[in-house]
Amino acid sequence: MKNKVRELRIAANMTQVQLAERVKVSSRTIISIEMEKYNPSLMLAYRLAQVFDVSVEELCCLKENMKLEEE
């Protein structure tokens, strides 16, 4: 699933470790999410969205992912 975690993290000048600590997961989880190899749970998606002050829909590229799913 496409997401904006890496883009938002870099814009916030935050390391993967720092982000992981803020949302209470391992840095490996953040790496996997950024590589689009792991889809965050709903709770984790909410925590990530809160850190970056965006909606879950924006964080997880809802419109783009829905379009890809339809194809």
Side-chain angles (χ1 to χ4, degrees):
M1 178 173 75
K2 292 189 157 294
N3 65 73
K4 294 183 177 182
V5 174
R6 178 175 165 73
E7 172 187 331
L8 293 167
R9 178 182 59 76
I10 290 170
N13 198 30
M14 199 179 296
T15 67
Q16 290 169 327
V17 172
Q18 290 169 326
L19 178 56
E21 289 171 353
R22 294 234 0 227
V23 297
K24 298 176 176 59
V25 297
S26 72
S27 58
R28 296 294 309 153
T29 298
I30 299 301
I31 292 165
S32 294
I33 292 169
E34 288 184 358
M35 293 176 67
E36 299 175 3
K37 294 185 184 270
Y38 175 76
N39 294 331
S41 68
L42 185 56
M43 241 5 248
L44 178 53
Y46 278 121
R47 281 188 257 146
L48 288 164
Q50 190 173 36
V51 166
F52 298 122
D53 195 28
V54 297
S55 68
V56 172
E57 292 83 1
E58 183 179 347
L59 178 79
C60 296
C61 306
L62 179 65
K63 288 181 183 178
E64 194 173 339
N65 283 314
M66 287 179 71
K67 185 177 179 181
L68 289 172
E69 191 176 83
E70 290 173 1
E71 294 175 352

